[in-house]
Amino acid sequence: MRTYHCFWLLFWAGQPHQSFLTPLSKRTSGFPEKEKVLHISWYWLKYLELCPKYLFIFLSLFFLFPFHHQLHSDQDKGDGSLKYILSGDGAGDLFIINENTGDIQATKRLDREEKPVYILRAQAINRRTGRPVEPESEFIIKIHDINDNEPMFTKDVYNASIPEMSDVGTFVVQVTATDADDPTYGNSAKVVYSILQGQPYFSVESETGIIKTALLNMDRENREQYQVVIQAKDMGGQMGGLSGTTTVNITLTDVNDNPPRFPQSTYQFRAPESTPLDSPVGRIKANDADVDENAEIEYSITEGDGYDMFGITTDKDTQEGIITVKKALDFESKNLYILKVEATNTHVDPRFLYLGPFKDSATVRIQVEDVDEPPMFSRPAYIMEVKEDVPLNSVIGTVTAQDPDAVKNPVKYSVDRHTDMDRVFNINSGNGSIFTSKPLDRETLLWHNITVIAAEINNPKQSSRVPVFIKILDVNDNAPEFAMFYETFVCENAKAEQLIQTLSAVDKDDPYNGHQFSFSLAPEAASSSNFTLQDNRDNTAGIFTRKTRYNRHETSTYFLPVVISDNDYPIQSSTETVTIRVCACDHRGKMLSCNAEALIHPTGLSTGALIAILLCIIILLVTVVLFAALRRQRKKEPLIISKEDIRDNIVSYNDEGGGEEDTQAFDIGTLRNPEAIDDNKLRRDIVPETLFMPRRTATARDNTDVRDFINQRLKENDTDPTAPPYDSLATYAYEGNGSVAESLSSLESVTTDGDQDYDYLSDWGPRFKKLADMYGSMDSDKDS
């Protein structure tokens, strides 16, 4: 019974009610128009003592806003002596209680998605004593869910892609929507998917949200982008349910389902016959509706009369076929080529072979145009040979060139002088024969590399060049000579038939069979020489002694003439001299000395010691000379008194009173009295020379002008060979014959005992009167 009653109470309390201020028998049904109140009396709370201490009250959000519940105790007499208090989740904030009446109210709407369960505790206490009159009761309020949240997709926009030409039912993408309502209560959170936009191309599974293709053979080339709108509706899709939508952008990716096709069957191009190799002639392109690697095309020339004359490559950026020239074109030989070009996809999908062969072909006609071509030589290069002794103006070979054009313009020849600066060769401008214009020498230059130019006479700009290599053949025109300068020695104690030197020779010529030299003594030395020569027959020869002993005091050096001949035609020979010195040697034949003076003074010093002694003596003498020069320099007053050390011959005279004894180089007394020139006085700034007689200058006229005087002295110095160097300074301080007033200086007044009379200054005018008064007053002061 206890369990039954509890279950019934829970079920009853969870239903919508009016205000339960009356017994159960008077309960009404329906929705009250007034504020909905749940009145739980303490009678029922006492009845709950038979059950657990918890009261579960299920409230639906629809009936709880606004709502009013009331707690009432049997001890409440209505006199205000009791006070109701409420604690627990949301008490005082979300739920408030009237402490006098026990009415419980919600201050705002309850949302199950925010908090589905609230636990409250209620109690009635005596207001005066504060003691509870009833035990504390706890009850749980669970919020029943209503469908107040629409389904929400996980993404606002979905992006997906599938290959074109996919089968029906191919998976595209899965969309997902969630509902915040309680999935365990009713159908509020049961979502059903449907497609609003995108038929008939796509479909969606109502329960899973999987989008699939619904149309066969969707072609990207017809349409590439699709926008599908999917709806998610709760309440299992029934009417009154809430819904949400999302957009799915679907792109068809390309597959190779289109073969390449030429837009035209025949192409025509023109190419000048002078087109360089590997140069483009034209471009062709096969159209392919596919993209990326499915549109990649490879071109090839399959047949045609120009199969070996032209080539074709693919431009990876534009997928065009570029036709290029592989061999030189010649209008005169062939002026029209017909090619068959094929375009093939490089990536073929076997699934679509049924659509036809993924290749196409077209015909290409190439017309060769005639151009004015330069002359063409019969060979790409010429090699000629000529002997070095060939006479001048001898023809050594001929080059040939002709105009390849149909008009066959005449050609003239010339030598590029940049390749023949010395003008050794020349060419006949009419027939191209090359001949010599200067002597040739193989030993100087073996090969001559020249360039011959052939140009049309009517159009000299049309020209071509060809290299000509001319090899100079050897002629025996050089005599053999020693391979090196030979200077040997023979010991005084040498024995007869002793080998003292081996000779070898060289020849600038280069005979075909190699060098074969023969050695012999010159006829004048063959019988009277103290040495013999033996030819070894291997292009070397040995010098041997003829007698037993040699004396260097009698003959210290021998000169042995040797004749060297070659074996070519014409035979060339030369005479070379070997210098043989007689030297003193030890018993093993090692040279000791080759100088005769060493034997005269056997106990003397060696050459090195003598040189060292001489060097010491020279250094000592130089030291003494420098020391004496320094002492003399200290005693002698320098001619130049200056802050800087000027190395020129400049003599400074800073004296206006007649000069000093050291100014004889330029005596300024001559300037005061030009008539009293001492002709016999020698100059001290140059070395006296006896080759030149002392010059005598003309006597200057009395009262000569200073300018005339200086010009006269300047002219004399310019024409005088014994004058100082050009960087010398000559000073001419000519002051004339002097003043009638004589000197005004008081320097000599110290030596005068008598009084000075300055009255004559008054006679000179008012300018000197003040000076006369001043000196006169000084004399009067002294007398007093």
Side-chain angles (χ1 to χ4, degrees):
M1 285 299 288
R2 181 182 301 175
T3 305
Y4 170 78
H5 286 292
C6 291
F7 173 78
W8 173 254
L9 179 61
L10 293 175
F11 174 78
W12 171 84
Q15 303 304 314
H17 302 285
Q18 279 187 346
S19 178
F20 299 112
L21 301 177
T22 60
L24 284 174
S25 58
K26 296 182 180 180
R27 184 183 61 179
T28 60
S29 61
F31 295 96
E33 295 179 358
K34 295 183 179 181
E35 186 179 34
K36 291 171 283 291
V37 177
L38 178 61
H39 187 171
I40 302 176
S41 66
W42 288 107
Y43 171 81
W44 292 109
L45 294 177
K46 288 182 177 296
Y47 180 79
L48 287 175
E49 292 180 358
L50 300 176
C51 302
K53 287 293 183 178
Y54 300 98
L55 172 64
F56 294 92
I57 302 176
F58 297 91
L59 302 176
S60 175
L61 181 62
F62 181 80
F63 298 102
L64 292 180
F65 187 76
F67 69 91
H68 186 181
H69 305 285
Q70 187 179 44
L71 296 177
H72 188 74
S73 174
D74 293 339
Q75 301 295 329
D76 189 0
K77 303 301 182 177
D79 55 0
S81 61
L82 294 183
K83 177 181 179 181
Y84 297 93
I85 60 174
L86 184 68
S87 62
D89 295 337
D93 180 18
L94 181 60
F95 299 100
I96 60 175
I97 188 170
N98 190 317
E99 62 181 15
N100 297 320
T101 62
D103 292 337
I104 300 175
Q105 293 180 339
T107 60
K108 60 181 179 180
R109 178 171 176 169
L110 302 179
D111 191 354
R112 187 199 67 84
E113 285 72 36
E114 292 182 2
K115 188 174 180 62
V117 178
Y118 295 90
I119 300 175
L120 298 175
R121 290 179 296 277
Q123 193 174 26
I125 63 174
N126 189 287
R127 186 182 297 272
R128 184 174 59 84
T129 62
R131 295 180 179 181
V133 297
E134 297 283 352
E136 183 181 50
S137 297
E138 183 179 69
F139 59 93
I140 299 173
I141 301 177
K142 288 188 176 181
I143 309 301
H144 274 189
D145 186 38
I146 64 172
N147 190 20
D148 61 339
N149 291 280
E150 70 275 5
M152 300 291 294
F153 283 94
T154 57
K155 295 181 180 179
D156 294 334
V157 177
Y158 289 83
N159 294 300
S161 62
I162 58 170
E164 62 174 332
M165 310 297 290
S166 296
D167 296 332
V168 175
T170 301
F171 174 83
V172 179
V173 70
Q174 184 177 10
V175 296
T176 303
T178 59
D179 196 320
D181 294 325
D182 188 1
T184 63
Y185 183 79
N187 294 328
S188 297
K190 186 176 181 180
V191 178
V192 174
Y193 300 94
S194 62
I195 185 168
L196 300 181
Q197 175 182 323
Q199 300 95 342
Y201 306 103
F202 301 95
S203 63
V204 62
E205 293 183 357
S206 60
E207 295 182 357
T208 62
I210 296 176
I211 301 175
K212 297 181 180 180
T213 58
L215 191 64
L216 185 65
N217 296 333
M218 287 190 293
D219 193 0
R220 184 199 66 83
E221 287 72 34
N222 293 332
R223 183 177 177 182
E224 183 177 4
Q225 299 287 339
Y226 295 87
Q227 190 176 74
V228 179
V229 179
I230 302 297
Q231 181 189 63
K233 189 174 184 180
D234 58 11
M235 299 297 291
Q238 299 177 5
M239 291 184 62
L242 303 179
S243 63
T245 60
T246 187
T247 301
V248 182
N249 295 322
I250 302 175
T251 303
L252 297 183
T253 59
D254 186 57
V255 297
N256 192 9
D257 59 339
N258 294 280
R261 291 289 180 264
F262 283 106
Q264 58 192 70
S265 60
T266 303
Y267 294 86
Q268 292 188 358
F269 299 103
R270 293 179 176 273
E273 61 176 336
S274 61
T275 302
L277 298 181
D278 298 326
S279 297
V281 174
R283 290 173 174 255
I284 61 175
K285 183 178 182 180
N287 297 327
D288 193 329
D290 299 321
V291 294
D292 299 333
E293 66 175 15
N294 297 320
E296 292 182 0
I297 301 174
E298 184 174 319
Y299 298 88
S300 61
I301 299 176
T302 56
E303 58 183 67
D305 52 3
Y307 181 81
D308 59 340
M309 296 294 295
F310 299 93
I312 188 169
T313 58
T314 302
D315 189 335
K316 299 300 181 181
D317 296 329
T318 62
Q319 296 300 316
E320 293 178 313
I322 305 174
I323 302 174
T324 58
V325 178
K326 292 174 58 179
K327 293 184 179 180
L329 303 177
D330 187 6
F331 173 82
E332 288 72 26
S333 300
K334 188 175 179 63
N335 57 17
L336 179 63
Y337 295 90
I338 300 177
L339 310 175
K340 185 178 181 181
V341 178
E342 188 174 81
T344 307
N345 274 140
T346 57
H347 299 86
V348 179
D349 194 337
R351 297 178 299 169
F352 305 103
L353 291 177
Y354 68 91
L355 297 176
F358 281 77
K359 60 182 178 180
D360 195 13
S361 60
T363 301
V364 178
R365 298 168 59 89
I366 301 176
Q367 181 72 44
V368 180
E369 297 179 342
D370 186 26
V371 296
D372 189 6
E373 298 177 274
M376 294 182 61
F377 285 93
S378 59
R379 301 178 190 175
Y382 292 86
I383 299 178
M384 302 178 182
E385 295 181 347
V386 60
K387 291 186 176 182
E388 60 179 328
D389 63 344
V390 68
L392 296 180
N393 299 323
S394 298
V395 177
I396 61 176
T398 302
V399 296
T400 304
Q402 62 179 357
D403 186 9
D405 298 323
V407 294
K408 301 296 181 183
N409 291 322
V411 177
K412 65 177 180 179
Y413 303 91
S414 61
V415 176
D416 186 356
R417 290 306 173 188
H418 292 91
T419 61
D420 186 23
M421 302 292 291
D422 297 332
R423 297 181 176 268
V424 180
F425 302 96
N426 213 332
I427 191 171
N428 189 306
S429 62
N431 56 23
S433 59
I434 301 175
F435 55 90
T436 60
S437 58
K438 286 186 179 181
L440 304 176
D441 186 8
R442 187 199 70 86
E443 288 72 33
T444 302
L445 187 60
L446 177 61
W447 284 92
H448 292 267
N449 304 328
I450 65 174
T451 299
V452 175
I453 303 173
E456 295 181 7
I457 295 179
N458 298 332
N459 186 10
K461 293 183 178 179
Q462 293 294 335
S463 62
S464 57
R465 298 166 174 264
V466 67
V468 180
F469 307 102
I470 302 174
K471 182 180 181 180
I472 309 302
L473 302 178
D474 186 38
V475 175
N476 192 26
D477 58 347
N478 291 279
E481 57 187 13
F482 281 149
M484 57 180 293
F485 174 74
Y486 290 102
E487 183 177 6
T488 186
F489 71 95
V490 61
C491 295
E492 288 184 312
N493 55 358
K495 298 180 181 180
E497 303 299 328
Q498 180 179 344
L499 177 64
I500 62 173
Q501 183 65 53
T502 300
L503 307 176
S504 62
V506 294
D507 194 339
K508 295 181 180 179
D509 296 322
D510 188 16
Y512 180 76
N513 295 323
H515 294 292
Q516 294 181 6
F517 300 125
S518 59
F519 299 85
S520 63
L521 292 177
E524 63 272 13
S527 58
S528 60
S529 176
N530 293 312
F531 303 91
T532 60
L533 183 69
Q534 179 180 339
D535 193 344
N536 298 327
R537 304 297 180 183
D538 59 353
N539 293 336
T540 64
I543 300 176
F544 295 85
T545 58
R546 176 176 284 184
K547 59 182 182 178
T548 301
R549 293 187 62 85
Y550 295 86
N551 190 343
R552 56 176 167 165
H553 301 290
E554 295 178 358
T555 304
S556 60
T557 303
Y558 293 93
F559 299 99
L560 186 64
V562 178
V563 178
I564 311 172
S565 303
D566 56 21
N567 196 26
D568 204 354
Y569 179 81
I571 296 176
Q572 301 288 340
S573 62
S574 64
T575 301
E576 302 288 334
T577 301
V578 180
T579 302
I580 304 174
R581 301 178 62 190
V582 181
C583 301
C585 304
D586 57 11
H587 64 282
R588 292 176 296 181
K590 183 177 180 181
M591 181 181 64
L592 297 178
S593 176
C594 296
N595 296 327
E597 293 79 2
L599 294 177
I600 298 175
H601 305 286
T603 59
L605 298 174
S606 63
T607 304
L610 291 175
I611 293 175
I613 293 173
L614 290 176
L615 287 176
C616 292
I617 294 173
I618 293 173
I619 293 173
L620 183 60
L621 291 176
V622 171
T623 303
V624 172
V625 171
L626 291 176
F627 182 76
L630 290 175
R631 288 181 59 87
R632 184 178 180 183
Q633 185 70 20
R634 291 179 181 177
K635 295 180 179 180
K636 184 177 179 181
E637 183 179 350
L639 294 178
I640 302 176
I641 302 175
S642 176
K643 294 181 180 179
E644 298 180 358
D645 187 10
I646 303 174
R647 301 292 179 174
D648 296 333
N649 188 10
I650 302 176
V651 181
S652 177
Y653 303 99
N654 296 326
D655 181 45
E656 298 180 359
E660 301 294 337
E661 295 180 356
D662 59 350
T663 59
Q664 295 180 4
F666 299 97
D667 190 1
I668 64 173
T670 305
L671 300 179
R672 296 191 179 96
N673 189 9
E675 293 83 3
I677 298 178
D678 189 359
D679 296 334
N680 296 326
K681 186 178 291 185
L682 298 178
R683 299 171 59 114
R684 294 192 303 170
D685 58 338
I686 60 173
V687 179
E689 295 181 4
T690 58
L691 296 178
F692 301 96
M693 295 299 294
R695 56 188 177 90
R696 184 178 299 273
T697 58
T699 303
R701 299 192 306 269
D702 294 338
N703 298 325
T704 182
D705 186 68
V706 174
R707 182 184 301 172
D708 296 338
F709 172 79
I710 292 178
N711 290 335
Q712 180 182 355
R713 292 296 184 264
L714 180 60
K715 183 177 180 181
E716 292 174 359
N717 278 277
D718 289 341
T719 58
D720 185 9
T722 63
Y726 292 109
D727 55 358
S728 298
L729 178 63
T731 303
Y732 307 102
Y734 179 66
E735 297 182 356
N737 294 327
S739 174
V740 295
E742 299 181 353
S743 177
L744 298 179
S745 175
S746 61
L747 295 177
E748 298 179 357
S749 62
V750 179
T751 59
T752 306
D753 295 333
D755 297 334
Q756 297 290 331
D757 185 13
Y758 297 98
D759 295 335
Y760 64 92
L761 294 177
S762 301
D763 300 333
W764 290 359
R767 295 183 180 180
F768 293 92
K769 181 173 180 54
K770 181 138 181 99
L771 186 61
D773 297 338
M774 181 178 62
Y775 278 90
S777 62
M778 291 176 61
D779 293 339
S780 63
D781 293 339
K782 289 171 65 177
D783 296 337
S784 61

